[in-house]
Amino acid sequence: MEEERSLNFIEQIVEKDLQEGVNDGRIQTRFPPEPNGYLHIGHVKAICLDFGIAEKYNGICNLRFDDTNPAKEDTEYVETIERDIAWLGFKWGKIFYASDYFEQLYDLAIRFIKEGKAYVDEQTPEQIAEQKGTPTEPGVASPYRDRPVEENLRLFQAMQNGEIEEGRMVLRAKIDMAHPNMHFRDPIMYRIITSHPHHRTGRRWNVYPMYDFAHGQSDYFEGVTHSICTLEFEVHRPLYDYFLDQITGANFIGMSPYGPDYRPKQREFNRLNITYTVMSKRKMLQLVQEHLVAGWDDPRMPTVCGLRRRGYTPTAIRNFMDRIGYTKVEGMIDQGLLEHTIREDLKETAPRICAIFDPVKLVITNYEGNGEILVGENIDGHPELGTREMPFARELYIERGDFLEEADNKFYRLSPNGREVRLKNAYIIQATGCEKDANGNITTVFATYDPTSKSGTEGGNRKTKATINWVECSSALEAEVRLYDRLFAVENPAAEEGDFRDLLNPDSLKVVTAKVEGSLRSELHAPIIQNGIEQENHYQLLKQGYFVVDPDTTAEHLVLNRTCSLKDNYLK
Ligand code: ATP
Ligand code: MG
């Protein structure tokens, strides 16, 4: 979409900072996924903003894996996240890991303890939760809150040395148990995890920093200027600032190369939620593990790899994000808008071919030709976008529904009633009759053609009420066609009572065997490279919808996935 749009509120903040020379005019963002699952379209919203801001204002966007919980993280996820971002067409500056900072964060924790700003708590998580209080009632101080510094140091080191069992102790910041912001009521800074090795640091650490202690500091060590995240972190922002206050300005201790005045600022935008799907990693993982979908890249999944396999293009996904924009208000986006953007893109770019989903044979009894090749434009009316060869012969496949043995005069397609019908890109024919099997099912339709009516010749201008699709029998390819629909039967599965798995759409996948134009064969193995990344082969199957070649395709077996139907009700 090239239409002019006004600046979003984050861009306005960035432009103001640039005008005021904040952080010496440096713009640095980061995209901080936790490598504990696959990226979904919600993440793409964050990606488009983080990378988009950097691109637009000559800054840098780094990729930072927020890998502070070894129990859930894995290198498998690191690799897929990198692949998905590259496919979307974004380029990161550097790759960082929160685990790169474990040493510095540990030193900082020790410093906090020495300054009386942190203590080791031996209570159970339940006890700690009970003491938190409510927004209107102050919390209760832990009995360990006033431990001497020496004891805190010894215990924290014992935690790190593996001498304390997982779950037995935590390190808490000593802030204010009566603070109106619950996140200030002595938040946990460190916990023990010994049950799982870390995917990068192995068994080096037995204590791991919590999000609130790790995230702001990581931004700071890297030199991030604008730390953009989703709205649920807004209530964490004062804590983000509190931890930074301890090491910047007058408290500067040299942990950043940018001097005492530099500090990152957190800004929050609204999450993306889309109808008829779920966007939680936990629920997606459940669908995968219980084989309710075929995997993370099942074309019904809202994951980036799922959308890719469904036939979405990076252009369409990025246009979608532009369209919905960034605000401070949570909402739900109609899945129809997503489908609208992919149609808009493929309408312009996807070559059109014929595919017959429910074939019946058509025999043109007066056709004597041999080896005739007709020409079809990839996109009708745009010969500059290429053409394809369409072999024509006496025996063709047509859609069963395009023939009626007995039709009323509202049926304009084939019927042995003297009516003329055009075969797309070919000749005008008239049905003469049909043949049936013992059960009365039509097996063959018979017709005659008019040799002077060929498309592209003078006789080709003759009008008919209907044009039908066809595929020549001997050159046709057989294709497994997977007709996908929405994954859930209800608009907002997350908002319903009961088990979200009971709300799956039972008709989200139907498979048919279709006859497809042979011209597809030569294109299948010609990969499309964009930005150095292999892109999918997209087609419009005439009258059927937009389709993409599935990676299950082999030399013998063609598999096509339906991306979306042709009809667009969204703008109505
Ligand atoms: P979890 O915290 O449950 O693992 P998450 O979806 O928050 O899941 P992260 O890997 O932490 O996953 O997210 C990385 C970034 O993507 C964060 O900045 C987060 O705010 C952003 N993000 C995640 N989900 C959405 C969404 N639905 N819309 C917009 N941004 C999102
Ligand atoms: Mg998260």
Side-chain angles (χ1 to χ4, degrees):
M1 253 180 316
E2 298 299 329
E3 61 203 51
E4 280 290 316
R5 62 165 176 81
S6 51
L7 296 181
N8 66 45
F9 78 99
I10 300 276
E11 289 167 334
Q12 288 172 14
I13 290 170
V14 170
E15 295 204 352
K16 184 158 177 285
D17 287 345
L18 284 172
Q19 274 159 17
E20 293 172 0
V22 176
N23 293 321
D24 304 321
R26 236 170 19 87
I27 299 297
Q28 188 173 320
T29 60
R30 84 288 169 266
F31 173 64
E34 183 177 0
N36 65 350
Y38 282 61
L39 293 183
H40 54 60
I41 187 153
H43 294 116
V44 182
K45 181 171 180 182
I47 290 172
C48 287
L49 187 57
D50 292 327
F51 285 89
I53 291 282
E55 258 172 30
K56 182 163 179 181
Y57 297 103
N58 293 316
I60 297 173
C61 179
N62 294 317
L63 180 54
R64 180 169 75 236
F65 291 101
D66 221 342
D67 56 348
T68 54
N69 182 0
K72 291 203 263 163
E73 295 154 5
D74 203 340
T75 38
E76 174 203 344
Y77 298 126
V78 170
E79 283 155 21
T80 64
I81 289 169
E82 289 178 22
R83 198 192 52 210
D84 287 348
I85 297 173
W87 176 74
L88 286 166
F90 291 108
K91 294 200 170 42
W92 52 81
K94 289 188 181 140
I95 296 184
F96 293 116
Y97 294 83
S99 55
D100 293 338
Y101 313 123
F102 282 170
E103 205 78 49
Q104 280 143 285
L105 290 169
Y106 184 78
D107 290 348
L108 194 56
I110 299 273
R111 195 178 175 105
F112 268 55
I113 295 173
K114 286 184 178 162
E115 291 172 355
K117 293 173 185 164
Y119 62 96
V120 172
D121 197 340
E122 292 176 47
Q123 300 181 98
T124 63
E126 293 75 27
Q127 284 170 320
I128 292 177
E130 268 166 35
Q131 292 167 353
K132 270 263 149 130
T134 68
T136 50
E137 282 168 80
V140 176
S142 160
Y144 303 100
R145 197 169 196 263
D146 293 317
R147 259 190 218 286
V149 167
E150 293 316 312
E151 205 176 300
N152 282 319
L153 275 179
R154 187 173 52 73
L155 286 174
F156 187 52
Q157 274 152 3
M159 284 164 67
Q160 161 53 13
N161 291 341
E163 293 159 22
I164 317 286
E165 220 181 294
E166 192 169 313
R168 286 275 297 105
M169 293 184 192
V170 291
L171 183 71
R172 293 176 74 178
K174 189 172 175 178
I175 310 180
D176 181 357
M177 286 305 290
H179 201 285
N181 181 332
M182 302 284 287
H183 294 283
F184 273 75
R185 297 187 183 175
D186 291 9
I188 296 173
M189 291 167 62
Y190 265 91
R191 66 214 149 153
I192 302 170
I193 300 177
T194 49
S195 51
H196 293 79
H198 188 278
H199 70 107
R200 293 184 74 236
T201 58
R203 296 277 178 193
R204 166 78 180 83
W205 298 96
N206 289 310
V207 290
Y208 290 91
M210 298 297 287
Y211 174 87
D212 285 316
F213 188 63
H215 203 89
Q217 274 59 249
S218 302
D219 284 343
Y220 178 69
F221 299 151
E222 279 166 21
V224 168
T225 58
H226 296 80
S227 180
I228 309 167
C229 60
T230 35
L231 276 176
E232 71 271 24
F233 292 103
E234 199 166 19
V235 286
H236 293 249
R237 196 209 293 180
L239 187 55
Y240 178 102
D241 288 332
Y242 167 86
F243 282 131
L244 288 174
D245 287 342
Q246 313 309 311
I247 55 174
T248 59
N251 296 326
F252 185 61
I253 49 169
M255 291 184 100
S256 145
Y258 298 106
D261 294 334
Y262 153 71
R263 59 186 294 158
K265 288 211 180 93
Q266 179 182 304
R267 295 286 178 249
E268 310 85 11
F269 66 94
N270 59 337
R271 291 178 81 81
L272 172 61
N273 299 300
I274 297 186
T275 54
Y276 299 101
T277 191
V278 291
M279 212 91 88
S280 121
K281 282 186 205 166
R282 190 177 51 80
K283 286 182 178 150
M284 293 194 304
L285 181 65
Q286 221 174 335
L287 294 175
V288 172
Q289 282 177 340
E290 293 170 16
H291 304 287
L292 297 170
V293 292
W296 285 101
D297 68 346
D298 185 297
R300 290 165 292 186
M301 289 282 272
T303 49
V304 174
C305 52
L307 288 164
R308 177 178 185 175
R309 198 163 177 184
R310 178 70 171 262
Y312 274 81
T313 61
T315 307
I317 295 174
R318 291 170 67 163
N319 285 346
F320 171 75
M321 297 304 165
D322 260 0
R323 242 197 207 192
I324 60 173
Y326 298 87
T327 71
K328 282 267 185 191
V329 188
E330 295 287 9
M332 180 69 87
I333 302 291
D334 186 341
Q335 193 165 128
L337 177 59
L338 185 62
E339 290 162 10
H340 172 75
T341 50
I342 185 64
R343 264 187 213 103
E344 257 189 348
D345 183 24
L346 295 179
K347 188 172 71 191
E348 308 287 328
T349 55
R352 298 173 192 182
I353 57 168
C354 284
I356 305 297
F357 280 23
D358 184 11
V360 67
K361 197 175 265 188
L362 172 80
V363 176
I364 303 170
T365 49
N366 63 337
Y367 185 82
E368 304 288 341
N370 194 0
E372 181 171 4
I373 304 285
L374 302 177
V375 177
E377 284 171 3
N378 283 346
I379 296 193
D380 289 329
H382 289 276
E384 76 283 2
L385 296 177
T387 57
R388 64 193 196 280
E389 296 190 339
M390 303 175 72
F392 189 81
R394 186 183 165 85
E395 297 197 349
L396 311 175
Y397 292 115
I398 59 168
E399 288 291 350
R400 187 169 290 279
D402 282 343
F403 175 80
L404 272 186
E405 201 180 2
E406 284 173 42
D408 62 22
N409 51 15
K410 288 203 191 86
F411 185 80
Y412 297 128
R413 287 164 287 162
L414 284 177
S415 188
N417 55 8
R419 190 161 253 160
E420 290 194 322
V421 170
R422 177 168 293 283
L423 293 172
K424 173 116 180 129
N425 295 321
Y427 298 94
I428 289 174
I429 58 171
Q430 280 181 35
T432 53
C434 64
E435 197 170 80
K436 294 182 206 168
D437 64 16
N439 300 321
N441 297 317
I442 295 171
T443 52
T444 312
V445 174
F446 297 101
T448 56
Y449 87 119
D450 173 357
T452 69
S453 64
K454 183 169 164 176
S455 294
T457 68
E458 212 167 300
N461 295 330
R462 202 163 93 221
K463 293 271 176 281
T464 56
K465 284 252 186 190
T467 298
I468 64 168
N469 293 319
W470 54 275
V471 167
E472 192 273 324
C473 291
S474 70
S475 59
L477 288 175
E478 203 162 86
E480 176 185 334
V481 180
R482 299 175 182 167
L483 301 170
Y484 290 105
D485 205 339
R486 294 168 176 185
L487 184 54
F488 285 89
V490 298
E491 270 201 9
N492 187 359
E496 302 281 331
E497 301 259 313
D499 195 324
F500 78 104
R501 291 166 296 186
D502 297 337
L503 306 170
L504 287 164
N505 172 11
D507 299 318
S508 62
L509 172 60
K510 283 190 204 118
V511 180
V512 298
T513 303
K515 301 287 185 186
V516 184
E517 255 184 69
S519 66
L520 200 66
R521 185 181 281 116
S522 59
E523 299 186 34
L524 286 181
H525 304 290
I528 303 164
I529 311 288
Q530 246 174 41
N531 302 320
I533 307 281
E534 189 169 335
Q535 301 290 332
E536 289 57 46
N537 283 331
H538 304 270
Y539 296 94
Q540 183 190 120
L541 302 189
L542 292 167
K543 294 189 179 167
Q544 305 287 7
Y546 293 101
F547 291 77
V548 65
V549 178
D550 188 83
D552 283 347
T553 297
T554 63
E556 289 79 40
H557 187 62
L558 171 62
V559 183
L560 297 173
N561 298 333
R562 181 168 68 194
T563 308
C564 60
S565 59
L566 288 178
K567 221 162 86 207
D568 193 342
N569 292 322
Y570 183 72
L571 291 177
K572 291 187 188 135

